[in-house]
């Protein structure tokens, strides 16, 4: 799986969009970008994933650059409940074996 | 409700006393996995299972055993726990490995976590 790089922490004002970047410059053609988040010490929660097209669901939007070397997770209207650690993971979609979460980005949403 | 259930959620035990953390999923998922989470080290994979009777080591398997006798259950066994196994443990499952192109086949569903303290 390709290595990912994320900033260790970010702040965002409540109600504003939170844009969380992820670099994955060694991504290969069949690797997907997945995002999870972990609120306090709860189990990580799936947010969204994509291959090359931008994706949107009820939680967030995922913007992947044309060269696929980086992506941005967008929470359009951040709330205090979105304060969490966000993990960006790159992996082939049918590779169920070994999966490693890195350090992630600690997002702090402030009133 | 589709979920992964871990038990116990909290446990304090002593060095050398065998313990088992159970994990059960009700989604008919083929793939299951165990992680441990320690401050500053992120989530590290202990063992995973691609299907019944198929298990393999992750990044940090030492001191742990697993079994996958039936699809829904994937218990984590600590035969002789030591203080360095004090950690927060998560079980996770996903639909399948072999369904390339099936949307969401590898989306992981995590349990709520089991906080283990070994004295």
């Amino acid at each position: 799986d390709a290595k990912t790089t994320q900033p260790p922490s970010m702040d965002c004002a409540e109600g504003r969009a939170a844009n969380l970047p992820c670099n994955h410059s060694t991504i290969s053609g069949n690797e997907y970008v997945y995002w999870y988040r972990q609120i306090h010490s709860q189990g990580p929660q799936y947010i969204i994933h994509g291959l090359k097209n931008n994706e949107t669901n009820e939680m967030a939007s995922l913007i992947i650059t044309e060269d696929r070397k980086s992506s941005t997770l967008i929470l359009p209207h951040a709330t205090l409940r979105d304060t969490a650690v966000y993990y960006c993971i790159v992996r082939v979609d049918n590779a169920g074996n070994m999966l490693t979460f890195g350090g992630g980005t600690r997002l702090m949403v402030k009133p | 409700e589709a979920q992964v259930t871990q038990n116990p959620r909290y446990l304090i035990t002593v060095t050398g006393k065998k313990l088992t953390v159970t994990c059960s999923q009700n989604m008919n998922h083929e793939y299951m996995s165990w992680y441990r989470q320690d401050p500053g080290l992120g989530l590290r994979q202990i063992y995973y299972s691609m299907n019944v009777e198929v298990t393999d080591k992750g990044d940090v398997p030492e001191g742990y055993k697993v079994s996958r006798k039936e699809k829904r259950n994937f218990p984590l066994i600590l035969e002789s726990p030591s203080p360095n196994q004090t950690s927060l443990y998560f079980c996770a499952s996903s639909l399948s490995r072999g369904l390339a192109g099936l949307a969401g086949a590898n989306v992981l569903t995590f349990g709520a976590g089991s906080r283990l303290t070994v004295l």
Side-chain angles (χ1 to χ4, degrees), chain B residues 11-85:
Chain B
L11 179 64
I12 300 174
T13 189
V14 295
T15 299
K17 186 176 180 181
K18 179 180 178 179
L19 68 92
T20 299
V21 186
T22 64
C23 174
S24 179
Q25 50 91 6
N26 62 359
M27 297 166 281
N28 202 35
H29 282 175
E30 289 188 356
Y31 176 82
M32 297 186 74
S33 180
W34 275 103
Y35 295 84
R36 61 177 289 175
Q37 186 172 35
D38 304 288
L41 296 176
L43 277 158
R44 295 179 293 168
Q45 193 170 43
I46 303 171
Y47 269 95
Y48 63 94
S49 170
M50 305 291 271
N51 213 325
V52 176
E53 301 292 359
V54 180
T55 64
D56 210 343
K57 297 177 180 178
D59 291 322
V60 288
E62 295 78 21
Y64 304 95
K65 287 175 59 177
V66 292
S67 68
R68 188 89 183 275
K69 291 183 170 54
E70 49 190 342
K71 203 171 189 179
R72 64 182 294 123
N73 296 323
F74 190 46
L76 180 69
I77 303 156
L78 286 74
E79 294 272 4
S80 183
S82 62
N84 64 12
Q85 292 179 296

Side-chain angles (χ1 to χ4, degrees), chain A residues 32 34 36 38 40-46 49 87 91-103, chain B residues 31 35 37 42-43 45 48 50 57-59 88 90 97-98 100-102 104 106-108 110-112 115:
Chain A
Y32 284 68
Y34 284 79
Y36 289 79
Q38 186 175 24
H40 194 47
S41 293
Q42 299 175 22
Q45 175 191 25
Y46 165 79
H49 76 291
Y87 296 99
R91 60 199 300 263
V92 296
D93 199 42
N94 64 343
N97 57 355
M98 289 181 57
L99 173 63
T100 301
F101 285 62
Chain B
Y31 176 82
Y35 295 84
Q37 186 172 35
L43 277 158
Q45 193 170 43
Y48 63 94
M50 305 291 271
K57 297 177 180 178
D59 291 322
L88 178 58
F90 291 103
R97 171 184 184 273
L102 177 65
N106 274 296
V107 170
L108 285 166
F110 284 82
R115 188 170 292 280

Side-chain angles (χ1 to χ4, degrees), chain B residues 93-109:
Chain B
S93 71
S94 66
L95 179 61
S96 176
R97 171 184 184 273
L99 298 177
L102 177 65
N106 274 296
V107 170
L108 285 166
T109 300

